[in-house]
Amino acid sequence: MNDVLWNIENVLNWTSSYLNRFCPNSPRLDAELLLSYVLNCKRLELYLRADKPLNKKELKVFRDLVKKRSNGCPVAYLTGFKEFWTLKLEVDENTLIPRPDTEILVEQTIKQIHLWQKKNPRSICEIVELGTGTAAIPLSLCSELKNLRIIAVDCSKKILKVALRNLNRYEALLDSRNNNVQLLESDLFSNINSNLKWDFIVSNPPYIPSYNIDKLQVEIANYEPRKALDGGHDGLDFYRYLIEIGPSMLKSDGEMLLEIGLFKESDLRSIIKKNRSWTSSCLIKDLRGFNRVWKLKKKT
């Protein structure tokens, strides 16, 4: 980009072409998101004001962001926000960036809670979540449902500070809908009161095999928190834990819903085969036909 007069249309066209060389998955979208962030406007306004020139300060800020993006830094970390479900969530380098795949987990959890609420009208549905990150899952559930009590667990104060800011941002989804979300710092579920029993356990746990993380695209391997990705040598460590501890945490008719990676179905079956506390287990596919959600029900 040289020092000629740059309007929004020219900037978007140049940036899309430039980013296509480095980040070919979504160069136009990346350009739009970064420019709308710099100009503090919605993406649609970029096209409504396509002939508006950028001043020198705006151009400098934008150039710096584009350079960082070309080096692999995710757009969400550059803007500090990520769209998920119907929400705009704050993210930072301590949190995993919420992804559309996880919306399948949200969708399926909403379905199961609806069924539970039909059987238990006017009751509070009690849910515990492992690895809340940005609080994307609890807030998405609260945006669609009422009468929820959720304890959302993560292992770091830094992560939970981001989650708390997102809860405060969407506090209208809580008290007025009789929803309550409590954040808890905990190594796995170790700080959960063992006397409490839950209707649902929900989690999008780390599931990338340790050896495979460095082989992922740069924006994930070099920027997203490794602890939120690393599922152990085969990616299944957290599933083994949840399958083992889940029955002791759930009520007699409780259910557990988990996001899963691209595992062989036989690998998942081998984990549950060793635990007879589950009465049913099924895998739910995403829109691409991949198994994405593992739904389990405790024996009554």
Side-chain angles (χ1 to χ4, degrees), residues 1-7 10-11 14 53-56 59 63:
M1 300 176 73
N2 52 37
D3 291 329
V4 301
L5 183 66
W6 288 91
N7 63 24
N10 292 337
V11 166
W14 184 92
L54 275 68
N55 61 42
K56 289 184 178 181
L59 269 176
R63 282 172 176 154

Tab-separated table of all heavy atoms in Angstrom, residues 1-7 10-11 14 53-56 59 63:
chain	number	residue	atom	x	y	z
A	1	MET	N	0.843	-1.190	0.000
A	1	MET	CA	0.000	0.000	0.000
A	1	MET	C	0.881	1.244	0.000
A	1	MET	O	1.671	1.453	0.908
A	1	MET	CB	-0.926	0.023	1.225
A	1	MET	CG	-1.880	-1.169	1.299
A	1	MET	SD	-2.872	-1.190	2.804
A	1	MET	CE	-4.018	0.123	2.467
A	2	ASN	N	0.790	2.068	-1.022
A	2	ASN	CA	1.591	3.284	-1.070
A	2	ASN	C	0.786	4.459	-0.531
A	2	ASN	O	-0.267	4.279	0.050
A	2	ASN	CB	2.081	3.538	-2.502
A	2	ASN	CG	0.936	3.513	-3.503
A	2	ASN	OD1	-0.147	3.973	-3.192
A	2	ASN	ND2	1.176	2.962	-4.685
A	3	ASP	N	1.278	5.653	-0.730
A	3	ASP	CA	0.666	6.815	-0.094
A	3	ASP	C	-0.364	7.532	-0.969
A	3	ASP	O	-0.623	8.713	-0.789
A	3	ASP	CB	1.758	7.803	0.314
A	3	ASP	CG	2.601	7.261	1.454
A	3	ASP	OD1	2.043	6.506	2.264
A	3	ASP	OD2	3.801	7.599	1.521
A	4	VAL	N	-0.949	6.854	-1.927
A	4	VAL	CA	-2.031	7.465	-2.700
A	4	VAL	C	-3.281	7.519	-1.838
A	4	VAL	O	-3.338	6.950	-0.749
A	4	VAL	CB	-2.304	6.648	-3.992
A	4	VAL	CG1	-1.068	6.579	-4.851
A	4	VAL	CG2	-2.817	5.261	-3.654
A	5	LEU	N	-4.297	8.191	-2.350
A	5	LEU	CA	-5.552	8.290	-1.613
A	5	LEU	C	-6.276	6.947	-1.679
A	5	LEU	O	-6.611	6.474	-2.764
A	5	LEU	CB	-6.424	9.399	-2.220
A	5	LEU	CG	-7.748	9.660	-1.494
A	5	LEU	CD1	-7.482	10.221	-0.091
A	5	LEU	CD2	-8.601	10.628	-2.301
A	6	TRP	N	-6.511	6.359	-0.523
A	6	TRP	CA	-7.157	5.052	-0.467
A	6	TRP	C	-8.566	5.200	0.093
A	6	TRP	O	-8.746	5.687	1.194
A	6	TRP	CB	-6.356	4.109	0.434
A	6	TRP	CG	-5.066	3.661	-0.158
A	6	TRP	CD1	-3.843	4.247	-0.022
A	6	TRP	CD2	-4.880	2.513	-0.992
A	6	TRP	NE1	-2.900	3.546	-0.709
A	6	TRP	CE2	-3.506	2.464	-1.322
A	6	TRP	CE3	-5.723	1.524	-1.501
A	6	TRP	CZ2	-2.963	1.475	-2.124
A	6	TRP	CZ3	-5.190	0.525	-2.295
A	6	TRP	CH2	-3.823	0.502	-2.606
A	7	ASN	N	-9.541	4.746	-0.686
A	7	ASN	CA	-10.896	4.684	-0.147
A	7	ASN	C	-11.192	3.245	0.292
A	7	ASN	O	-10.382	2.330	0.087
A	7	ASN	CB	-11.932	5.209	-1.143
A	7	ASN	CG	-12.002	4.369	-2.409
A	7	ASN	OD1	-11.651	3.191	-2.430
A	7	ASN	ND2	-12.457	4.981	-3.504
A	10	ASN	N	-11.015	0.438	-2.497
A	10	ASN	CA	-9.652	0.125	-2.923
A	10	ASN	C	-8.872	-0.641	-1.850
A	10	ASN	O	-8.127	-1.576	-2.154
A	10	ASN	CB	-8.898	1.413	-3.280
A	10	ASN	CG	-9.452	2.081	-4.525
A	10	ASN	OD1	-10.077	1.431	-5.349
A	10	ASN	ND2	-9.239	3.385	-4.649
A	11	VAL	N	-9.061	-0.220	-0.601
A	11	VAL	CA	-8.372	-0.886	0.505
A	11	VAL	C	-8.809	-2.345	0.614
A	11	VAL	O	-7.987	-3.250	0.772
A	11	VAL	CB	-8.628	-0.137	1.832
A	11	VAL	CG1	-8.207	-0.991	3.025
A	11	VAL	CG2	-7.880	1.184	1.849
A	14	TRP	N	-7.360	-4.369	-2.401
A	14	TRP	CA	-5.924	-4.601	-2.282
A	14	TRP	C	-5.622	-5.616	-1.173
A	14	TRP	O	-4.833	-6.538	-1.344
A	14	TRP	CB	-5.206	-3.291	-1.985
A	14	TRP	CG	-3.708	-3.457	-1.942
A	14	TRP	CD1	-2.828	-3.301	-2.969
A	14	TRP	CD2	-2.926	-3.830	-0.800
A	14	TRP	NE1	-1.544	-3.555	-2.545
A	14	TRP	CE2	-1.577	-3.890	-1.210
A	14	TRP	CE3	-3.233	-4.126	0.537
A	14	TRP	CZ2	-0.537	-4.223	-0.347
A	14	TRP	CZ3	-2.191	-4.467	1.401
A	14	TRP	CH2	-0.865	-4.506	0.958
A	53	PRO	N	-12.655	7.896	1.855
A	53	PRO	CA	-11.205	7.720	2.004
A	53	PRO	C	-10.812	7.482	3.463
A	53	PRO	O	-11.485	7.949	4.384
A	53	PRO	CB	-10.634	9.039	1.495
A	53	PRO	CG	-11.725	10.024	1.724
A	53	PRO	CD	-13.021	9.288	1.570
A	54	LEU	N	-9.743	6.728	3.676
A	54	LEU	CA	-9.192	6.524	5.006
A	54	LEU	C	-8.150	7.613	5.283
A	54	LEU	O	-7.402	7.994	4.378
A	54	LEU	CB	-8.527	5.149	5.118
A	54	LEU	CG	-9.440	3.965	5.453
A	54	LEU	CD1	-10.399	3.665	4.304
A	54	LEU	CD2	-8.613	2.732	5.801
A	55	ASN	N	-8.121	8.090	6.512
A	55	ASN	CA	-7.084	9.063	6.853
A	55	ASN	C	-5.785	8.317	7.209
A	55	ASN	O	-5.750	7.085	7.277
A	55	ASN	CB	-7.533	9.987	7.988
A	55	ASN	CG	-7.846	9.230	9.278
A	55	ASN	OD1	-7.122	8.314	9.663
A	55	ASN	ND2	-8.920	9.628	9.953
A	56	LYS	N	-4.726	9.068	7.438
A	56	LYS	CA	-3.412	8.455	7.659
A	56	LYS	C	-3.389	7.572	8.908
A	56	LYS	O	-2.772	6.505	8.915
A	56	LYS	CB	-2.335	9.547	7.765
A	56	LYS	CG	-2.033	10.227	6.453
A	56	LYS	CD	-0.890	11.235	6.612
A	56	LYS	CE	-0.549	11.885	5.282
A	56	LYS	NZ	0.579	12.857	5.415
A	59	LEU	N	-5.220	4.316	8.167
A	59	LEU	CA	-4.398	3.478	7.284
A	59	LEU	C	-3.254	2.812	8.043
A	59	LEU	O	-2.979	1.625	7.842
A	59	LEU	CB	-3.826	4.319	6.144
A	59	LEU	CG	-4.650	4.412	4.862
A	59	LEU	CD1	-3.974	5.365	3.878
A	59	LEU	CD2	-4.830	3.039	4.232
A	63	ARG	N	-2.855	-1.120	8.372
A	63	ARG	CA	-1.667	-1.784	7.827
A	63	ARG	C	-1.019	-2.693	8.869
A	63	ARG	O	-0.599	-3.806	8.564
A	63	ARG	CB	-0.649	-0.738	7.367
A	63	ARG	CG	-0.957	-0.081	6.045
A	63	ARG	CD	0.017	1.055	5.811
A	63	ARG	NE	-0.162	1.683	4.522
A	63	ARG	CZ	0.167	2.949	4.264
A	63	ARG	NH1	0.674	3.707	5.228
A	63	ARG	NH2	-0.003	3.453	3.070
